[in-house]
Amino acid sequence: MKLTKVLTTLAVWLVLVTEGVSASGNNGLTAQSFSFSRKDSTVTINTINSDYVLHVKKRTGPIKLDGVLDEEDWKRAQKATNFYMVLPYDTGYAAAKSEVMMTYGDKAFYLAFVFYDTIPGKRPVESLRRDFVFGNNDNFLLFLDTYNDQTTGYSFGANAAGAKWDGTMSDGHSVNLIWDCKWQSKTKNYKDRWVTEMRIPFKSIRYQSGVDHWNVQFSRLDLKRNEKSAWAPVPQQFPTASLAYAGVVQWETPPPKSGLQFSLIPYIFGSASRDFEAGTDTRYRKDFGMDAKLGLSSSLNLDLTYNPDFSQAEVDDQVTNLDRFELYYPEKRQFFLENSDLFANYGSGQIRPFFSRRIGLDSPVLAGARLSGKLGNDWRLGVMDMETEKQGDLLARNFFVASVQKKVFSRSNIGAIFVNKQNMNVPSGFTGNEYNRVAGLEYNLASSNNYWTGEFFGFRSFTPGMSSGEQFAQGTQLNYSRKQYDLGIKEYYVGKNYNAETGYVPRVDYLRLNPTATVRFYPDKSNVEYHGFFTELDTYFRPGDMELTDREVSFDYFFQFHNRSHLELETNFWYIKLRNAFDPTNQGNHFLEAGTGYNWFDATLIYQSDNRKTFKYELSSGYGGFFNGNRLHVEGMLNYRFQPFGYVSMVFSYNNLKLPQPWGDTGYWLVGPKLDVTFTDKLFFTTYVQYNEQIDNINVNARLQWRYQPVSDIYLVYTDNYFPGNMQAKNRALVFKMTYWFN
């Protein structure tokens, strides 16, 4: 373990160095000190684009949301213009003209933006669905840093057809689109431009009272020109959502102080289901539940839920499983996703001390509470407590997680997390664990110019009967990003007795070292926007004797074209020494023996078409070794949009494994056609069919959603599963759910 100690020491030294690096960005920008006034103090922050200030006057008359900017308040408002190009280049102004204006009253603030075209023709949009895919639509996005911490905030936006976008921000650039709030907008299309007006109530967001400055960024994606631009300049290696490069909105007077806010969201539920495999009759069920939101202050929320139902959550995308370890499926239930960065972002992708999908998927959730938000300017707090009901052999359980973060330096933070899973009313003779706990510390590095990012964490699990010596996990990750290159190093260790039952840790007892490098070249006067290569060495060692158990050496070369298409060749050299018996087909019939080692090479060619076209596609195909045999795989996605009313798509994959006896040749098809229709910006219908040959199943999921009032919905969800051979039904369910937001 000497290597781990050396790397950890080096990481600490690099933190001190990178936090002290002066922030020089593109366009000759340098980090500057900027002060804003507050009733109780003056706070100094570093923001690279502090010279970009939009002065916002209080409105003097009514604002009608109609896409016609004829009010006097718009005529006298200062305009944010001269947007800087971010992609395909970041060395000058955008070719397409953009204008953004703001004003505000006692209850809400307003935005108006005008985006002019330079190329005639239809503006590309995917659909009218809320929270559209950024790269598939002509759109405008607003990024608000209401605490001036360059880490957290809110995002609002619209595409050229008027579909809305809203979400919360974390990690200085990530947007969680599950979050919804009440706000209004109106989009109007003209021959040479499109115009949108927005009204966002102050009570819909959280902010520091008495502050007259917020960090802000305005971003535009013009797909016809293949041009992404931002009001305050952003280096092209970063998203326009990077709060490190935000400008400043200067209110004429501070926004109103936020009072106590309370929302009640009850629901009613009805379903009919039948399990044909078990031979049971149709089961009818009706129920109710509710969520409540209490704004304890302008920056702290209490969320409560009783008897929650998650039947409207999107179905998981199925995959062909050829892996040795548990697959990861993302959380899609709204209650767990709001402010999820406070709980779910600790550790790395393979070492999560808390993973909310462990709660409620094997037994119903009875009730829960979550307290989250800001404490002062530098502290964030998150506490969540959930209780599940007894289900069969599973006892009633309580899940508790607490997290606290303290901002340090310019944009970094130190965090602590505690997770507790407790079985309730444990009977005598119970053979399971009465409890499982994890505690840990983490440092998240983000330099003022965002060039240096990283994290350094350590966790300890507590499980009855487990040896205390190897219940640890720790990790170090450091990245340096510039326009021409990205460099990274990861080091992770997981002890063989580390046990995070409410987390996601698919494998234990290893030391992992993973350096990576990406290099990009930008040719002049070429159809290629940039090209370059990515290479990495990913190795796993057994900690006791440092025996190599896994090694992947990768070298990929890629081309990004000006027409938005992408071509990539991936090559991989593998070595795996099995620590446990493994069936490479994952059928569970025949196994490779533990202790055997395998070397192989494979290559994959990937092409993505121009996504601005009405018909777009992605295709990939590869061939090479696979343990003691060979593997051929073909994957793809086909998508045709009938804008602005939706699209029809299909994903597919085929894996052919050529292995020696007793396995022989094995082929797996996975096909998933999908129809997504948005009749209006409030009425949506989705049908998703998935045929998975590996698990011998056809799944049909159809969902109708009507947003009949702001943030109030009616859902009708139909689910069916069949045996593919004879189309005999396995199980079937029809669900009705209605929610209403009292605010």
Side-chain angles (χ1 to χ4, degrees):
M1 300 306 294
K2 291 183 179 180
L3 180 59
T4 302
K5 294 180 180 178
V6 170
L7 287 170
T8 304
T9 302
L10 177 61
V12 172
W13 177 79
L14 283 171
V15 169
L16 298 176
V17 172
T18 56
E19 286 290 0
V21 171
S22 63
S24 60
N26 284 9
N27 306 299
L29 296 173
T30 57
Q32 301 180 43
S33 227
F34 179 66
S35 297
F36 62 88
S37 61
R38 204 171 67 188
K39 289 183 179 180
D40 57 344
S41 65
T42 297
V43 180
T44 301
I45 61 173
N46 293 316
T47 176
I48 291 173
N49 287 328
S50 61
D51 284 344
Y52 291 81
V53 180
L54 182 67
H55 296 272
V56 180
K57 298 178 181 179
K58 200 166 186 178
R59 68 181 178 91
T60 59
I63 300 289
K64 182 180 179 182
L65 302 185
D66 55 7
V68 180
L69 308 183
D70 55 359
E71 290 89 350
E72 287 299 320
D73 286 299
W74 292 137
K75 294 178 181 179
R76 72 188 186 98
Q78 182 183 351
K79 296 180 180 179
T81 58
N82 296 327
F83 278 40
Y84 283 84
M85 190 188 302
V86 179
L87 290 175
Y89 308 107
D90 61 357
T91 54
Y93 291 107
K97 182 181 177 182
S98 304
E99 297 176 348
V100 179
M101 295 158 281
M102 292 182 67
T103 186
Y104 70 111
D106 294 331
K107 295 184 178 180
F109 62 97
Y110 300 78
L111 288 98
F113 54 86
V114 184
F115 289 157
Y116 293 89
D117 291 328
T118 57
I119 299 176
K122 186 177 292 186
R123 301 175 183 104
V125 293
E126 190 171 46
S127 72
L128 299 170
R129 182 175 292 279
R130 193 184 186 106
D131 298 332
F132 48 82
V133 177
F134 167 77
N136 295 344
N137 297 263
D138 268 18
N139 65 69
F140 163 78
L141 298 182
L142 163 71
F143 303 109
L144 280 175
D145 176 9
T146 58
Y147 291 100
N148 299 295
D149 60 12
Q150 302 173 68
T151 304
T152 60
Y154 299 90
S155 181
F156 296 89
N159 71 10
K164 291 181 177 180
W165 156 300
D166 54 7
T168 56
M169 298 188 67
S170 62
D171 297 329
H173 62 86
S174 299
V175 180
N176 181 352
L177 293 174
I178 295 298
W179 177 81
D180 285 343
C181 75
K182 287 187 176 182
W183 61 287
Q184 299 82 41
S185 68
K186 176 64 178 179
T187 297
K188 188 175 179 66
N189 278 266
Y190 299 86
K191 185 177 181 179
D192 64 336
R193 68 196 186 279
W194 60 286
V195 180
T196 295
E197 290 180 279
M198 297 179 175
R199 179 186 184 273
I200 303 172
F202 284 113
K203 67 180 181 179
S204 292
I205 61 175
R206 301 287 173 261
Y207 52 88
Q208 192 74 36
S209 296
V211 175
D212 61 3
H213 289 76
W214 294 351
N215 292 334
V216 67
Q217 180 67 282
F218 307 123
S219 170
R220 177 186 181 181
L221 180 60
D222 184 348
L223 281 181
K224 281 192 296 184
R225 283 201 63 88
N226 185 27
E227 183 178 84
K228 183 169 72 169
S229 57
W231 170 54
V234 181
Q236 71 177 83
Q237 69 265 31
F238 301 129
T240 51
S242 296
L243 295 177
Y245 290 89
V248 179
V249 58
Q250 164 76 63
W251 304 105
E252 186 175 13
T253 58
K257 185 176 181 180
S258 179
L260 184 67
Q261 300 171 24
F262 179 72
S263 300
L264 186 65
I265 313 169
Y267 82 86
I268 56 174
F269 167 93
S271 70
S273 61
R274 185 174 179 182
D275 189 335
F276 293 92
E277 288 185 288
T280 59
D281 293 332
T282 301
R283 178 191 176 201
Y284 298 95
R285 179 178 165 232
K286 56 185 177 181
D287 212 337
F288 73 95
M290 66 182 65
D291 293 338
K293 297 178 177 291
L294 181 62
L296 301 179
S297 69
S298 62
S299 56
L300 197 62
N301 279 347
L302 176 63
D303 295 278
L304 305 171
T305 185
Y306 168 72
N307 195 25
D309 171 76
F310 307 111
S311 57
Q312 80 277 12
E314 292 184 5
V315 65
D316 288 321
D317 294 328
Q318 295 185 20
V319 297
T320 300
N321 182 12
L322 300 177
D323 205 293
R324 292 174 291 156
F325 306 101
E326 177 191 11
L327 296 180
Y328 176 83
Y329 290 95
E331 177 63 86
K332 297 183 178 182
R333 298 170 296 174
Q334 184 167 353
F335 183 86
F336 294 103
L337 286 170
E338 293 187 18
N339 292 316
S340 61
D341 68 290
L342 273 168
F343 308 103
N345 286 7
Y346 281 83
S348 71
Q350 301 291 307
I351 313 174
R352 296 292 186 199
F354 178 73
F355 181 42
S356 58
R357 279 188 71 118
R358 302 295 185 205
I359 304 174
L361 290 188
D362 55 5
S363 57
V365 176
L366 177 62
R370 179 182 60 236
L371 178 68
S372 60
K374 299 273 286 190
L375 296 174
N377 193 56
D378 295 334
W379 290 87
R380 295 182 72 205
L381 173 69
V383 179
M384 182 161 60
D385 190 81
M386 308 291 293
E387 188 147 333
T388 59
E389 300 179 26
K390 188 178 186 301
Q391 181 87 358
D393 295 332
L394 295 172
L395 301 178
R397 287 161 291 172
N398 178 266
F399 297 86
F400 175 84
V401 56
S403 166
V404 62
Q405 290 181 355
K406 170 67 168 65
K407 180 183 174 183
V408 295
F409 303 111
S410 58
R411 299 178 55 243
S412 305
N413 65 71
I414 296 175
I417 188 171
F418 175 74
V419 183
N420 182 61
K421 172 188 174 184
Q422 189 85 35
N423 283 305
M424 312 295 289
N425 303 318
V426 178
S428 59
F430 180 67
T431 57
N433 297 322
E434 184 177 343
Y435 65 84
N436 172 253
R437 295 165 187 157
V438 176
L441 294 172
E442 181 170 292
Y443 173 76
N444 292 289
L445 164 68
S447 65
S448 60
N449 57 13
N450 215 40
Y451 291 166
W452 290 94
T453 58
E455 61 177 346
F456 314 94
F457 61 83
F459 305 128
R460 165 71 151 86
S461 66
F462 303 86
T463 308
M466 282 282 192
S467 169
S468 61
E470 296 178 299
Q471 292 193 73
F472 291 94
Q474 62 84 216
T476 299
Q477 177 179 330
L478 192 64
N479 299 281
Y480 183 66
S481 179
R482 298 302 298 266
K483 177 180 177 180
Q484 292 81 10
Y485 55 87
D486 295 292
L487 303 175
I489 179 70
K490 299 175 184 176
E491 175 273 325
Y492 300 129
Y493 163 76
V494 181
K496 68 178 181 180
N497 291 325
Y498 179 72
N499 181 31
E501 295 181 9
T502 317
Y504 179 73
V505 187
R507 64 188 296 182
V508 297
D509 194 26
Y510 67 85
L511 172 67
R512 179 185 179 189
L513 299 177
N514 180 207
T516 62
T518 302
V519 178
R520 292 177 289 267
F521 307 99
Y522 296 85
D524 295 329
K525 299 179 181 180
S526 169
N527 291 329
V528 177
E529 180 181 330
Y530 62 84
H531 62 95
F533 64 85
F534 166 80
T535 184
E536 74 169 330
L537 172 64
D538 197 2
T539 54
Y540 288 78
F541 301 89
R542 185 164 56 189
D545 54 12
M546 291 300 292
E547 180 185 15
L548 177 68
T549 61
D550 300 71
R551 181 182 61 226
E552 179 185 2
V553 182
S554 301
F555 185 86
D556 308 340
Y557 208 95
F558 52 82
F559 297 87
Q560 178 67 37
F561 299 95
H562 280 292
N563 67 358
R564 297 184 66 86
S565 61
H566 184 88
L567 179 66
E568 187 165 351
L569 175 64
E570 297 180 351
T571 62
N572 303 283
F573 297 84
W574 299 81
Y575 169 74
I576 291 178
K577 184 173 184 179
L578 294 174
R579 299 182 61 178
N580 298 289
F582 173 63
D583 177 7
T585 68
N586 263 334
Q587 292 179 335
N589 296 325
H590 310 286
F591 295 86
L592 300 172
E593 294 182 0
T596 55
Y598 304 90
N599 285 281
W600 72 87
F601 167 80
D602 63 39
T604 301
L605 186 65
I606 304 168
Y607 179 75
Q608 299 176 3
S609 71
D610 181 355
N611 71 332
R612 297 174 297 177
K613 304 295 185 181
T614 303
F615 174 72
K616 63 179 182 179
Y617 57 92
E618 298 177 13
L619 298 173
S620 69
S621 180
Y623 181 78
F626 186 70
F627 289 94
N628 61 338
N630 293 293
R631 172 182 173 231
L632 167 70
H633 64 96
V634 180
E635 298 175 352
M637 183 280 297
L638 311 175
N639 182 291
Y640 180 83
R641 72 173 186 270
F642 39 99
Q643 69 177 55
F645 300 109
Y647 62 88
V648 58
S649 68
M650 184 174 71
V651 295
F652 63 90
S653 72
Y654 174 70
N655 283 269
N656 180 258
L657 306 180
K658 293 184 178 298
L659 305 172
Q661 293 300 329
W663 295 276
D665 288 0
T666 303
Y668 291 137
W669 275 102
L670 184 95
V671 182
K674 183 177 183 179
L675 174 66
D676 190 292
V677 182
T678 57
F679 300 102
T680 70
D681 62 351
K682 298 178 177 62
L683 185 62
F684 317 118
F685 176 72
T686 303
T687 297
Y688 195 9
V689 180
Q690 297 184 87
Y691 164 60
N692 190 330
E693 187 174 10
Q694 187 180 39
I695 62 174
D696 195 31
N697 188 70
I698 294 178
N699 171 257
V700 180
N701 182 271
R703 186 177 70 160
L704 179 69
Q705 177 186 359
W706 175 29
R707 178 148 286 188
Y708 64 96
Q709 291 290 334
V711 206
S712 303
D713 299 283
I714 291 177
Y715 297 95
L716 192 62
V717 182
Y718 173 78
T719 303
D720 217 337
N721 288 282
Y722 298 91
F723 289 103
N726 54 16
M727 292 303 292
Q728 181 179 348
K730 294 182 178 180
N731 51 72
R732 182 177 298 154
L734 180 65
V735 173
F736 170 85
K737 182 178 179 180
M738 179 177 181
T739 69
Y740 188 82
W741 188 307
F742 291 97
N743 187 6

